[in-house]
Amino acid sequence: MDLFEQNRENAKKSAPLAARMRPTSLDEWVGQEHIIGKNTLLSRAIKADKLSSLVLYGPPGTGKTTLATVISHATQAVFMQINATTAGVKDIQKAVEEAKSAVALYAKRTILFVDEIHRFNKLQQDALLPYVENGTVILIGATTENPYFEVNKALVSRSMIFELNPLSHENILTLLRRAVTDSRGLGELKITAHDDALHFLADKANGDARTALNALELAALTTEPTAAGIEITLETAAACIQKRPLMYEKNGDNHYDTISAFIKSMRGSDPDAAVYYLARMLYAGEDPKFIARRIVICASEDVGNADPHALQVAVAAANAVQFIGLPEGQIILSQAAIYIACAPKSNASCEAIFAALDDVEKVQVKSLPIHLKDPNKPKAVGSLAHGAGYKYAHAFPGNYIPQQYLPDELKGRKYYNPTENGVEKKIKESLKNLRP
């Protein structure tokens, strides 16, 4: 091994664990099965070395640069990489000239990987566009921003867009276990990593493999070895990711207990308890969309028509959380949960639908009232005309006229019984004058 090769080996060993553990082939790939799984379009294109220009976007640590690394090992094309945060128009021009030379001298295509492509300004993106369009370079762009908003529309229209999702808990757990045993990672350090420590790191990484691997490396390098090697405990892992471990498994009892306490606190009109359990779930890495769905349900089930605005607030919060994400989304969830907790309560709408469903199941209704049936249907021989005798409410004073709406078998049933709370008090007064 000459001096240069020795330097390269030393550089590899001193690289961060996340960089050392990057897969070099599809066989080592973990996660993102929806775009890189077996027989997907992208996996077939990589294996066949028939890539067209593409843009990869998703949160940090989801594998955008790693996928580019896999492609660089799989392709016979010349592979070049630039970073949009430091590269300028001259760097683009240099890459294009090298791509032209590769075609002329070696009849080889060139793949140009542009990391953080959304950082290119309009001038830089326009400088690249003609060479993507004529095939001088095959572009692979990586971005954490939605390319439909942040990347030149002409570049986007000439590229396939692939969205990478946050990695699952199991995906990250697989990567951590591999890093502990693989010689490229920490395999030579004789590490014993407790299972609860690895689960904790996988959970707290929030789908970011780099965060989990960085924390694992920090734990390994800062733990005093013993004769048996290095032991990574839950306490060590928690210190390295700078979060206190909570007893909260996303599919375990604590998950269900905490969401139950959250809902009951909103129902019980305790905004302080509601926001505490909300914070507990967010801290533990709970999916904010799951929390938002529970708030929407509570707004209808437990507040109902006592404050019809509660459902509007909850639905707006759910939409906003999807649009904004975390961490700012936690403010929106807090606002909605506190509003629901402070709102007047009524479960009358909830009780109404359950009572009606019970009658649907148990009471046999032979026919709907004839005056409520569709008058546009042809009349059967010997039958009354559908719609006959129907009274149009808007043709009467106050837009109301008494008539039977329920089937004969359920005549007089009252499913909806409004409370004296909030807006429902007015609804109750109104119904007193309308119900016979």
Side-chain angles (χ1 to χ4, degrees):
M1 183 181 293
D2 62 27
L3 181 61
F4 295 106
E5 289 174 330
Q6 183 65 53
N7 287 340
R8 281 195 295 270
E9 286 300 313
N10 291 339
K12 284 182 183 178
K13 290 180 180 179
S14 62
L17 178 62
R20 301 200 307 273
M21 289 306 300
R22 276 183 180 146
T24 56
S25 69
L26 288 178
D27 293 334
E28 296 179 350
W29 185 267
V30 175
Q32 309 300 349
E33 289 83 0
H34 64 294
I35 63 169
I36 201 69
K38 187 177 180 181
N39 291 326
T40 57
L41 173 64
L42 186 54
S43 67
R44 294 200 309 270
I46 293 172
K47 288 177 180 178
D49 198 6
K50 297 292 184 184
L51 280 176
S52 58
S53 290
L54 54 95
V55 175
L56 308 170
Y57 90 98
T62 52
K64 301 182 294 295
T65 304
T66 299
L67 185 51
T69 302
V70 169
I71 292 170
S72 72
H73 285 88
T75 185
Q76 297 298 313
V78 176
F79 190 89
M80 291 190 289
Q81 178 174 349
I82 59 176
N83 192 303
T85 58
T86 56
V89 172
K90 287 185 178 180
D91 297 290
I92 296 172
Q93 292 171 341
K94 181 182 177 183
V96 167
E97 290 305 315
E98 291 181 14
K100 290 178 179 177
S101 297
V103 173
L105 298 175
Y106 311 110
K108 283 193 171 186
R109 304 177 306 154
T110 294
I111 293 175
L112 177 62
F113 174 56
V114 182
D115 203 5
E116 305 289 343
I117 192 171
H118 63 278
R119 298 293 186 101
F120 270 166
N121 59 34
K122 187 177 186 302
L123 180 64
Q124 292 166 316
Q125 293 190 36
D126 287 346
L128 184 58
L129 176 61
Y131 306 104
V132 173
E133 192 169 29
N134 65 22
T136 302
V137 296
I138 298 167
L139 172 68
I140 299 179
T143 174
T144 55
E145 305 295 328
N146 190 325
Y148 292 104
F149 297 119
E150 302 297 335
V151 179
N152 185 313
K153 287 182 172 57
L155 278 178
V156 168
S157 69
R158 289 160 177 78
S159 307
M160 298 184 69
I161 310 298
F162 293 98
E163 181 178 5
L164 283 74
N165 298 323
L167 294 175
S168 71
H169 178 96
E170 291 303 319
N171 291 156
I172 295 180
L173 198 60
T174 299
L175 295 173
L176 290 171
R177 286 172 173 159
R178 181 185 294 175
V180 168
T181 57
D182 197 305
S183 59
R184 291 179 301 169
L186 305 171
E188 297 176 0
L189 298 181
K190 294 182 180 179
I191 290 177
T192 301
H194 290 202
D195 205 45
D196 57 355
L198 295 180
H199 276 282
F200 175 77
L201 291 177
D203 202 38
K204 295 299 167 288
N206 288 324
D208 185 334
R210 190 183 299 109
T211 295
L213 290 168
N214 286 347
L216 177 65
E217 184 175 31
L218 182 61
L221 296 179
T222 57
T223 301
E224 192 70 30
T226 65
I230 295 172
E231 184 179 17
I232 299 177
T233 64
L234 175 60
E235 291 72 22
T236 306
C240 290
I241 208 165
Q242 296 184 338
K243 271 200 172 188
R244 181 176 66 84
L246 282 181
M247 293 298 293
Y248 191 96
E249 309 88 10
K250 288 187 180 179
N251 294 311
D253 289 345
N254 289 291
H255 161 82
Y256 295 106
D257 290 345
T258 306
I259 194 65
S260 175
F262 175 60
I263 293 166
K264 288 171 181 173
S265 297
M266 289 191 292
R267 179 184 297 143
S269 301
D270 189 331
D272 302 302
V275 82
Y276 167 76
Y277 291 117
L278 170 63
R280 190 177 178 90
M281 289 186 288
L282 290 170
Y283 186 96
E286 183 60 81
D287 183 354
K289 293 191 290 294
F290 170 78
I291 300 172
R293 286 195 292 269
R294 304 314 302 178
I295 294 174
V296 171
I297 294 167
C298 191
S300 189
E301 180 179 354
D302 296 305
V303 177
N305 287 331
D307 183 354
H309 292 301
L311 185 57
Q312 294 176 327
V313 170
V315 171
N319 290 334
V321 165
Q322 282 195 313
F323 175 65
I324 292 173
L326 294 177
E328 291 86 352
Q330 64 192 9
I331 303 168
I332 297 162
L333 291 172
S334 176
Q335 178 188 350
I338 289 170
Y339 188 97
I340 302 306
C342 295
K345 302 297 188 295
S346 170
N347 70 342
S349 296
C350 180
E351 293 292 323
I353 187 61
F354 288 150
L357 285 169
D358 189 59
D359 274 353
V360 167
E361 181 180 359
K362 295 177 179 177
V363 178
Q364 183 179 2
V365 172
K366 295 179 180 179
S367 177
L368 304 184
I370 192 70
H371 58 280
L372 298 184
K373 291 185 176 182
D374 181 6
N376 297 313
K377 285 170 40 176
K379 186 181 107 172
V381 175
S383 68
L384 295 173
H386 286 185
Y390 172 67
K391 300 171 184 176
Y392 183 58
H394 297 293
F396 295 87
N399 306 94
Y400 174 74
I401 183 69
Q403 64 183 323
Q404 181 182 331
Y405 289 97
L406 281 169
D408 290 338
E409 295 85 348
L410 299 172
K411 186 177 179 180
R413 270 296 200 280
K414 290 181 174 61
Y415 299 113
Y416 179 51
N417 296 292
T419 67
E420 295 280 341
N421 301 330
V423 176
E424 271 200 335
K425 185 173 183 179
K426 294 182 179 179
I427 295 174
K428 187 173 185 178
E429 288 298 320
S430 177
L431 283 178
K432 278 183 181 178
N433 300 321
L434 299 179
R435 282 174 168 171

